[in-house]
Amino acid sequence: MESKKSAPHDLMHDALTDNNRKTFAGKSITARLRSMLPSSIVRAFRSWSGTVSRESDEPIWAELFSIERLEQHAESLAAAQHATSKPASDRRLERRLRDNERALRAAYHAIALAVSEERPISPAADWLVDNFYVIEEQVREIRIDFPPGYHRQLPKLIDGPLVGYPRVFGLAWAFVAHTDSRFDAQMLCRFVRAYQRVQPLSIGELWAVAITLRVVLVENLRRLAETIVERQAAREQANVLADRLLGVGSHGTMPAATLLQDVEGPLPAAFAVQLVQRLRDQDPRVIPVARSHDSRP
């Protein structure tokens, strides 16, 4: 997809992967917090930072393949996929595109609100706001070029995680996953040719390769956008906690353990990284809430 700014994927990829790291400056996040915060806060942190279960809507990323390895994967994928040519009235692909469009618009509005309120945003969020019109154009073109009557005639997968979806959709999904969403026309041609050495595609499927590739890229962008918004919210929550720990501004003080309990689920990595950054150079003895909380029997 054409972009207003250069290297949009690099901006998004770097912003997301940096926040997802489980280490910070050579030490684990837990270790950094342990060295900064009193034991009561560390206990609250550890009780909240259990193993994170993998969500079904994680970004479409897999092992990055070289062109030779990608061709081998295409051949093995062609051998493993089983499809039927019987037309189906399955509308999941239409619903998927509609849901992706709705989620992307919600992410855009959430980030735009943060900008209007002069809250800091990540480079990835900035890219999404500046290039949202490009995303909308792509979705409109997909609707025009890939109408329901067309994709219903394509061979459908009869097994695997994408059962019921067009076979070419699974092909595009694998290409996006193993190239980290980086489009290269030559790599795509070699990938499709390798697939066809084992399982020939129909003319309709060959025409649909480019369209389904855009469908998968929009899907991945929606997943990334939701991650951007979630991490934006996590960083803002960390800033609130840091302000209260440091007695900054007009924020009222309250025990850190109580504040941590207000957030459900495991401690997000973005929250922990932001909190570490805010408290990096602070002496725990000068954090009023921490001192008062630790002094309680």
Side-chain angles (χ1 to χ4, degrees):
M1 288 185 281
E2 215 175 299
S3 169
K4 176 182 175 181
K5 292 187 176 181
S6 61
H9 177 274
D10 292 339
L11 281 175
M12 299 185 73
H13 182 271
D14 292 346
L16 292 171
T17 54
D18 284 349
N19 280 334
N20 198 38
R21 290 177 185 142
K22 302 300 181 184
T23 60
F24 185 80
K27 299 176 70 176
S28 71
I29 293 172
T30 306
R32 290 297 297 259
L33 286 177
R34 186 181 293 114
S35 67
M36 296 179 194
L37 304 177
S39 59
S40 60
I41 301 177
V42 173
R43 284 195 298 271
F45 167 80
R46 292 178 66 185
S47 68
W48 192 28
S49 57
T51 302
V52 180
S53 60
R54 295 185 66 84
E55 298 291 339
S56 60
D57 282 347
E58 288 185 339
I60 305 172
W61 286 335
E63 181 183 352
L64 189 62
F65 286 163
S66 66
I67 183 60
E68 293 78 14
R69 180 69 185 89
L70 195 63
E71 288 179 309
Q72 293 174 2
H73 181 65
E75 293 175 350
S76 61
L77 183 68
Q81 285 186 330
H82 302 95
T84 176
S85 298
K86 183 179 179 180
S89 58
D90 195 315
R91 303 178 66 89
R92 281 182 295 174
L93 196 58
E94 299 167 56
R95 290 195 298 269
R96 195 175 199 121
L97 182 60
R98 186 171 56 251
D99 291 344
N100 287 340
E101 182 182 16
R102 189 160 39 233
L104 281 163
R105 186 173 291 109
Y108 167 78
H109 287 306
I111 298 169
L113 178 62
V115 172
S116 68
E117 295 177 351
E118 299 184 347
R119 286 180 273 143
I121 62 173
S122 67
D126 183 54
W127 179 91
L128 183 64
V129 170
D130 286 346
N131 292 276
F132 188 70
Y133 74 96
V134 178
I135 300 168
E136 289 184 309
E137 290 174 0
Q138 292 296 319
V139 172
R140 281 195 297 269
E141 290 181 13
I142 290 170
R143 293 192 188 283
I144 295 170
D145 297 338
F146 203 40
Y150 179 13
H151 66 69
R152 287 174 192 166
Q153 299 299 318
L154 297 175
K156 304 294 189 300
L157 294 170
I158 59 175
D159 53 21
L162 295 176
V163 60
Y165 285 95
R167 175 172 58 183
V168 69
F169 182 74
L171 177 72
W173 190 287
F175 180 81
V176 168
H178 292 290
T179 58
D180 201 12
S181 297
R182 298 178 186 272
F183 176 74
D184 182 291
Q186 182 181 6
M187 289 183 69
L188 178 62
C189 289
R190 291 179 62 173
F191 183 72
V192 173
R193 280 199 297 265
Y195 187 99
Q196 292 199 100
R197 285 198 289 267
V198 176
Q199 184 65 256
L201 298 170
S202 68
I203 295 297
E205 287 178 301
L206 290 173
W207 275 104
V209 166
I211 307 171
T212 51
L213 184 61
R214 283 189 288 172
V215 172
V216 177
L217 288 171
V218 168
E219 166 91 21
N220 203 23
L221 187 57
R222 187 268 298 174
R223 295 174 181 223
L224 291 169
E226 289 181 334
T227 302
I228 290 169
V229 173
E230 289 168 2
R231 289 175 178 170
Q232 174 83 16
R235 285 191 293 269
E236 291 176 358
Q237 287 179 318
N239 284 333
V240 170
L241 174 58
D243 287 344
R244 292 182 179 179
L245 288 172
L246 298 171
V248 174
S250 59
H251 290 279
T253 60
M254 63 183 298
T258 302
L259 186 60
L260 287 171
Q261 290 173 356
D262 290 340
V263 182
E264 299 179 356
L267 184 67
F271 181 104
V273 169
Q274 183 70 12
L275 187 60
V276 167
Q277 290 175 339
R278 287 288 308 275
L279 304 180
R280 180 185 302 167
D281 300 322
Q282 299 295 327
D283 185 336
R285 291 173 296 179
V286 305
I287 303 177
V289 177
R291 186 172 64 249
S292 63
H293 184 69
D294 264 12
S295 65
R296 296 180 181 179

